Amino acid sequence: MADTCGQVLLGSGLTVLSHPLMYIKVLVQVGHEPLPPTLGRNLFGRQVYQLPGLFAYAKHIIKIDGKAGLFNGLGPRLCAGTIGTIVHSKVVQRCQEQGTLQVLGGQQKAVEGSLQHVVNETTKEMIARSCATIVTHPFHVITLRCMVQFIGREAKYSGVFDSIITVYREEGILGFFAGLIPRLLGDVLSLWICNLLAHVINTYAIDDSMSHTGEIKNCSQAVTGFFASMLTYPFVLVSNLMAVNNCGLAGGLPPYASVYPTWVDCWRHLSREGNMSRGNSLFFRKLPAGKTYAIDQKRFF
């Protein structure tokens, strides 16, 4: 219990610190570009037209809503983080107590570091993460909609409880789970890619006789995690767009977004437009090829 409380407190602190970054990222994912491109230089020193980065975007939000505006949607996100941490901890504890989910090797205890051990532990982590994601997704949806309100200057989602009532009244239970499937798929794929790739590197590329082997293996885990998140980013993008799509906010309706019947339609449209990585980087954002900036609509088309 003490460990869980510590994780909740640490997670809440990191959530508060990272919230402005997520807020800006979501607005970029939706396609909101309030500032026109400017002439700058890329990493190689060449002059190119660039889109405003993280700090320019943050200054724009502060200019309109003040510094507190950078924390729109923080309440439901903190709720999601707290509940998710508790659910994840409880599910992991239950799996360890029962000693179940020995996917490979039957009842035989897996040797630590073996493929059997990696698969069994990853399966337990997958179940724990999936349970936490499903339980907290309604708060994730509310968080995203609180953020996207910035585009149309709406005040439809003003608090956690009022937002819950609004979503249920307009969309029913299913409204709380908009965008859940691509989010789950992305989480599961990212977890398996990260752990299996790290296992391959640690087994075949790192010699146990090397000095600082533990630090090197931790580093490889971090690198593979970053690589996996890059590969599965389109699932994050599609999930966030579906969470706000056709919900009555300007950011989820034309011209910012088409109305997508399913997340697969959203995926196909983004792929066709070459926008599968939109919002993936908030620094050195280059001007999209073949796109025209509409000043009045504050977006590209």
Side-chain angles (χ1 to χ4, degrees):
M1 186 64 183
D3 291 340
T4 303
C5 291
Q7 291 175 5
V8 168
L9 290 175
L10 178 60
S12 297
L14 293 175
T15 297
V16 173
L17 292 175
S18 65
H19 192 77
L21 177 65
M22 179 186 174
Y23 185 21
I24 294 170
K25 194 179 190 72
V26 168
L27 293 178
V28 174
Q29 287 176 338
V30 174
H32 185 55
E33 297 291 350
L35 303 173
T38 57
L39 189 62
R41 294 185 181 275
N42 60 14
L43 292 174
F44 302 101
R46 293 178 54 190
Q47 280 194 335
V48 293
Y49 277 99
Q50 296 178 336
L51 295 174
L54 172 66
F55 299 110
Y57 215 124
K59 288 180 180 178
H60 173 73
I61 295 175
I62 293 173
K63 183 180 179 181
I64 296 176
D65 289 339
K67 292 182 180 179
L70 291 172
F71 297 92
N72 285 336
L74 178 60
R77 191 178 175 212
L78 285 173
C79 291
T82 300
I83 297 173
T85 300
I86 295 173
V87 171
H88 180 276
S89 176
K90 292 296 183 183
V91 174
V92 169
Q93 182 181 357
R94 188 65 178 271
C95 290
Q96 291 175 344
E97 288 175 353
Q98 293 186 351
T100 54
L101 301 176
Q102 299 296 325
V103 180
L104 296 179
Q107 297 299 320
Q108 183 179 359
K109 185 175 178 61
V111 179
E112 186 172 356
S114 65
L115 178 61
Q116 176 186 341
H117 180 266
V118 171
V119 171
N120 290 338
E121 293 301 311
T122 302
T123 301
K124 295 175 185 178
E125 179 66 16
M126 176 188 68
I127 294 174
R129 285 194 188 184
S130 298
C131 290
T133 297
I134 293 171
V135 171
T136 62
H137 193 74
F139 295 101
H140 180 68
V141 170
I142 293 172
T143 297
L144 295 175
R145 294 184 181 184
C146 288
M147 294 175 171
V148 172
Q149 287 184 139
F150 176 81
I151 298 174
R153 311 304 298 159
E154 298 108 335
K156 187 175 180 180
Y157 299 92
S158 56
V160 176
F161 296 107
D162 289 341
S163 298
I164 291 174
I165 294 173
T166 300
V167 174
Y168 181 76
R169 183 175 64 244
E170 296 186 357
E171 304 170 58
I173 294 295
L174 292 179
F176 292 108
F177 299 97
L180 175 62
I181 294 177
R183 187 183 178 199
L184 277 176
L185 289 175
D187 284 348
V188 170
L189 286 174
S190 178
L191 177 64
W192 280 98
I193 292 172
C194 173
N195 287 0
L196 291 179
L197 189 57
H199 171 71
V200 171
I201 293 174
N202 294 339
T203 302
Y204 300 105
I206 299 177
D207 191 348
D208 290 337
S209 62
M210 297 169 58
S211 59
H212 306 292
T213 303
E215 290 83 351
I216 296 175
K217 289 185 177 181
N218 289 336
C219 183
S220 70
Q221 188 79 26
V223 171
T224 55
F226 176 76
F227 177 72
S229 66
M230 293 288 289
L231 285 180
T232 58
Y233 177 77
F235 289 96
V236 177
L237 176 61
V238 171
S239 173
N240 288 352
L241 292 181
M242 290 305 297
V244 302
N245 190 248
N246 197 26
C247 67
L249 299 176
L253 295 169
Y256 283 98
S258 303
V259 176
Y260 306 113
T262 66
W263 70 270
V264 176
D265 296 298
C266 179
W267 182 291
R268 289 173 179 169
H269 180 261
L270 291 174
S271 180
R272 189 167 56 249
E273 295 291 323
N275 288 328
M276 294 302 287
S277 62
R278 188 170 67 193
N280 193 21
S281 174
L282 296 179
F283 299 97
F284 302 106
R285 300 174 57 220
K286 64 180 182 179
L287 193 67
K291 300 289 184 178
T292 302
Y293 181 74
I295 298 177
D296 56 334
Q297 298 179 3
K298 299 180 179 180
R299 70 179 187 95
F300 287 94
F301 66 92

